[in-house]
Amino acid sequence: PELKRHQLAASDLVLARELAARFPGRALDFARRAALAEPDSAEAHLLFGDLLRGVEEREAARTHYERFLKLNPPFLRDVERVRALLQR
């Protein structure tokens, strides 16, 4: 069950990225599922936050950006970008 959940979340992240530009609503659905399935995935919370911000859901995006930072991700460029967004 654990491996299957991880595989489904990874698949959802791929789909969310692919759909983001043309179908943001569908992308949000996949990113939400990934973040729920893998609550300790910094990547899922970052993508979900970005998609939420893109549809003007700033408070919800803030929640996922804060979760992203709490997970101590190794993505320095993204960490700096998210910190700058949260200071606005």
Side-chain angles (χ1 to χ4, degrees):
E2 183 79 17
L3 178 60
K4 183 166 178 103
R5 189 184 86 233
H6 176 73
Q7 290 171 332
L8 288 172
S11 176
D12 285 344
L13 278 176
V14 168
L15 288 169
R17 275 192 218 94
E18 290 176 0
L19 294 170
R22 293 181 53 208
F23 304 102
R26 289 294 292 144
L28 273 168
D29 292 340
F30 285 109
R32 178 181 293 111
R33 280 188 1 188
L36 289 172
E38 291 285 336
D40 292 333
S41 168
E43 187 178 8
H45 288 284
L46 176 61
L47 180 59
F48 195 24
D50 286 342
L51 290 169
L52 287 164
R53 190 170 64 86
V55 295
E56 304 299 322
E57 294 285 340
R58 300 213 183 264
E59 285 306 309
R62 174 178 286 280
T63 298
H64 289 280
Y65 285 150
E66 289 170 350
R67 178 72 180 142
F68 165 77
L69 292 175
K70 285 180 185 172
L71 292 167
N72 295 314
F75 322 117
L76 183 58
R77 182 180 305 161
D78 291 322
V79 168
E80 291 172 348
R81 180 177 65 81
V82 167
R83 284 184 179 149
L85 288 170
L86 290 174
Q87 289 178 355
R88 293 182 189 171

